[in-house]
């Protein structure tokens, strides 16, 4: 998997990470698992907000909270940026906004584990596209089988085609995010590329989020939960991942990240009481296995 391994080459060198002191005492594999649980726990809390706010408004709260915190930690410098850097930063921000919006729209229509599993096809596609080994066709077939098993072929199915469509779009955006974050890592120092992108994404998503959320966005309780979602989904996991990448091989990081769909299904069960059928669990495991296989294959190249 290349979702973060090759995506953020420059970010690992930034000093002053807010979680660095605490993270140094935790094994790197533990940091990755904590990051995964943090992301999915944030998604679980975000989904609970859908009862009070539409997904687009929740996305706005999440990105705005993340942008405020990341901007304070790593303020991007706008002066002296080349046209190419502006183009990469703007594209990165727009892609980040669309990735979150389409994923939350999928999350509002699908169980967490299924939404994350389908979205994971994005980074899997990037990993396979970068490979030239025939065995990767096996991982593609395995992932495709997982999606076929998740599809609502019967009228009584609990999964919607619209939700699957949004999840697939989120996966495409995630693939673009990987490629653009790699480009941003070459043009922006440290994590300032991500801060720049998050500010852009706030500007992009604000019209939709504010319009759909309305005055409900001013409720203190919802604002507090939105801040928590931003911390859990963006700031905390990103900081933990950067620390982990400084202390472990990239392929090991990719292998650990491959279990994220299964963790999402587990969080969905524990936090949201989303009970999946045996066939749905099998489909998720097919996608996890495809991700693991792709990661191990890319290591041997």
């Amino acid at each position: 998997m290349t979702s973060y391994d090759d995506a953020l080459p420059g970010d690992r060198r930034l000093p002053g990470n807010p979680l660095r002191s605490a993270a140094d005492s935790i094994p790197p594999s533990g940091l990755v698992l904590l990051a995964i649980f943090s992301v999915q726990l944030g998604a679980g809390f975000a989904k609970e907000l859908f009862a009070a706010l539409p997904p687009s408004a929740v996305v706005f709260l999440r990105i705005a909270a993340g942008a405020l915190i990341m901007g304070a930690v790593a303020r991007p410098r706008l002066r002296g940026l080349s046209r190419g850097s502006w183009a990469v930063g703007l594209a990165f921000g727009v892609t980040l906004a669309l990735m979150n919006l389409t994923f939350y729209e999928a999350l509002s229509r699908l169980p967490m584990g299924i939404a994350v599993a389908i979205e994971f096809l994005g980074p899997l596609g990037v990993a396979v596209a970068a490979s030239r080994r025939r065995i990767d066709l096996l991982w593609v077939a395995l992932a495709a089988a997982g999606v076929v098993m998740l599809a609502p072929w019967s009228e009584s199915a609990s999964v919607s085609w619209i939700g699957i469509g949004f999840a697939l779009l989120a996966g495409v955006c995630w693939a673009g995010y990987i490629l653009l974050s790699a480009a941003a890592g070459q043009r922006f120092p440290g994590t300032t590329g991500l801060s720049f992108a998050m500010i852009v994404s706030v500007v992009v998503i604000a019209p939709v989020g504010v319009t759909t959320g309305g005055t409900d966005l001013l409720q203190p309780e919802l604002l507090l939960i939105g801040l928590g979602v931003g911390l859990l989904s963006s700031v905390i996991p990103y900081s933990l991942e950067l620390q982990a990448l400084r202390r472990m091989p990239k392929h090991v990081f990719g292998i650990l990240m491959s279990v994220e769909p299964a963790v999402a299904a587990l969080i969905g069960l524990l936090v949201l009481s989303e009970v999946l059928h045996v066939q749905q669990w099998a489909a998720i495991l097919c996608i996890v296995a495809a991700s693991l296989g792709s990661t191990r294959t890319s290591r041997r190249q």
Side-chain angles (χ1 to χ4, degrees), residues 63-83:
I63 295 178
L68 285 173
I69 298 170
M70 287 298 299
V73 173
R75 183 178 302 175
R77 294 181 180 180
L78 303 182
R79 293 182 179 179
L81 289 179
S82 65
R83 290 184 178 179

Side-chain angles (χ1 to χ4, degrees), residues 226-274:
L227 176 62
V229 170
L231 283 169
L232 288 170
S233 299
S234 300
V235 180
I236 292 176
Y238 188 78
S239 300
L240 293 174
E241 288 159 4
L242 293 185
Q243 290 301 307
L245 279 167
R246 294 174 59 245
R247 297 160 52 193
M248 71 190 309
K250 293 179 180 180
H251 71 273
V252 176
F253 180 87
I255 290 172
L256 291 171
M257 289 297 297
S258 298
V259 305
E260 191 161 1
V263 173
L266 180 61
I267 295 294
L269 175 63
L270 297 177
V271 176
L272 303 171
S273 300
E274 294 179 342

Side-chain angles (χ1 to χ4, degrees), residues 53 210-219 222:
L53 293 171
V210 172
T211 300
T212 57
T215 56
D216 289 337
L217 290 170
L218 300 178
Q219 295 184 30
L222 297 182

Side-chain angles (χ1 to χ4, degrees), residues 8 18 22 33 41 85 106 117 151 174 204 233 275 277:
L8 304 164
L33 294 177
L41 191 59
S85 296
W174 194 356
V204 171
S233 299
V275 179
H277 303 304

Side-chain angles (χ1 to χ4, degrees), residues 14-50:
L14 181 72
N17 188 290
L19 298 180
R20 168 173 269 174
S21 299
D24 284 343
S25 62
I26 302 175
S29 57
L31 294 177
V32 176
L33 294 177
L34 283 174
I36 292 173
F37 274 96
S38 181
V39 169
Q40 299 310 324
L41 191 59
F45 288 146
K47 187 164 185 175
E48 288 190 327
L49 273 180
F50 293 164

Side-chain angles (χ1 to χ4, degrees), residues 160-205:
S160 75
W161 283 110
I162 296 177
I164 289 177
F166 274 118
L168 289 172
L169 286 174
V172 172
C173 291
W174 194 356
Y177 172 90
I178 293 169
L179 300 176
L180 288 167
S181 58
Q186 299 296 329
R187 292 177 176 272
F188 293 84
T191 55
T192 58
L194 179 64
S195 297
F196 183 94
M198 293 189 76
I199 293 171
V200 172
S201 65
V202 170
V203 175
V204 171
I205 205 69

